[in-house]
Structures are given as C-alpha cells and as structure tokens.
Amino acid sequence: MALVTTQNENVFKTKFTNTGGFIVTLLGLSLLALAERVLYDTGRLIALPPLDYFDNLGVIIVHAVVIIFFLVIALVLNLSLSHRQERYAVALVPYFVVSIILAMQLLLQVSVYFINHHTTIQFYIVMLALIAVCTYGIYLTQSRHKVVGE
C-alpha cells in the first residue's frame, strides 16, 4: 500500500493518499501530544514551583532547552535527508511541523513574560533580537537548500 501518490523533490509538495495523509497527521498529532507532555513533566520536575508557562522564568528556560533541542534535531534531519529525495523523507514532515509549532509556543511564552516583567524598550530589544536570530536561521537554511533548476 502506497502512502504517497506523487513524490516531488520538495517534501512539502508531496501528494498523499487518504491513508498516507491520515497516518502522517496522526504521527504529527502524536508527536505534538508527546512533546507537550515532555514540556509539562520537565517543567514540573526541573523548574521551581509554581508551574506557570508564562510567568515563571525557570519553566520558560526549561521549555526553551527542550524545544530548541527538538528544533535542532528536526532541522538537521530535514537538511540531511530532504535533498536525497528518499521515499521515506516524507515521514520527517510531522517532526518539522511540530518543531515549528513548539518554537511558536516558546516565542509566545517569552513574549508574554517580557511584556509582564520588563519595560517596553527591553521588550523591543528582545523581540528584535529574536527576529534577527529567526531571520538568520531561515536564511541559513534556505541558502543550503538546493533549488530545483539550478
């Protein structure tokens, strides 16, 4: 049984069968549920109480370590396997999507924390630094990606 109907060079443009789409979606949702539970447990076990995702800097730092670790693994796997156009590289899409969702969650946590605990100028400085780091990361990732037709 095939999971994909059309395999493209770009994994995100791959067309799934109904079964393949269901399995990839189920994998993504399972990964997201597992990642959220890991965040909850690590925050509860490592950071000092109270367990507050937006107001406790210790919890935010623990979450940042876990999320950045997951994001780096997803990026390395995608960069190393996507250019090979392997048939099973499509299984990496849920990992990459979940890592992006977790990174956005971390960005929201940091933003809310800085809005509540710092001055406006400090908030702007941190957000501009975050934007610069994210932009450079996107640039670096795209510069290593081979464009079709080059």
Side-chain angles (χ1 to χ4, degrees):
M1 169 173 39
L3 296 179
V4 294
T5 57
T6 309
Q7 182 78 26
N8 288 326
E9 290 186 21
N10 184 344
V11 174
F12 292 104
K13 292 183 180 178
T14 300
K15 299 205 187 279
F16 294 98
T17 63
N18 289 338
T19 306
F22 176 75
I23 291 172
V24 168
T25 302
L26 187 63
L27 175 61
L29 292 174
S30 300
L31 283 169
L32 186 59
L34 178 64
E36 285 298 329
R37 185 60 194 206
V38 167
L39 289 176
Y40 174 77
D41 286 339
T42 55
R44 186 174 50 89
L45 295 173
I46 297 174
L48 296 174
L51 181 63
D52 187 346
Y53 279 32
F54 298 105
D55 210 27
N56 186 338
L57 185 60
V59 172
I60 294 171
I61 290 171
V62 169
H63 287 185
V65 169
V66 172
I67 290 170
I68 290 171
F69 178 73
F70 189 77
L71 182 63
V72 167
I73 289 174
L75 279 172
V76 167
L77 286 174
N78 273 288
L79 288 174
S80 63
L81 294 179
S82 65
H83 71 280
R84 294 184 189 168
Q85 303 167 11
E86 292 184 13
R87 206 170 136 177
Y88 303 107
V90 79
L92 297 175
V93 172
Y95 291 91
F96 195 61
V97 170
V98 168
S99 69
I100 290 171
I101 291 170
L102 292 175
M104 289 188 316
Q105 175 182 327
L106 179 62
L107 182 62
L108 178 66
Q109 286 177 270
V110 170
S111 299
V112 170
Y113 180 82
F114 268 87
I115 286 172
N116 292 335
H117 295 283
H118 293 81
T119 64
T120 303
I121 191 71
Q122 290 171 335
F123 173 76
Y124 281 120
I125 290 170
V126 168
M127 289 301 114
L128 288 172
L130 252 165
I131 289 168
V133 168
C134 291
T135 303
Y136 179 72
I138 291 168
Y139 169 76
L140 186 65
T141 302
Q142 291 294 55
S143 68
R144 292 176 186 235
H145 182 70
K146 183 179 179 182
V147 178
V148 178
E150 280 188 356

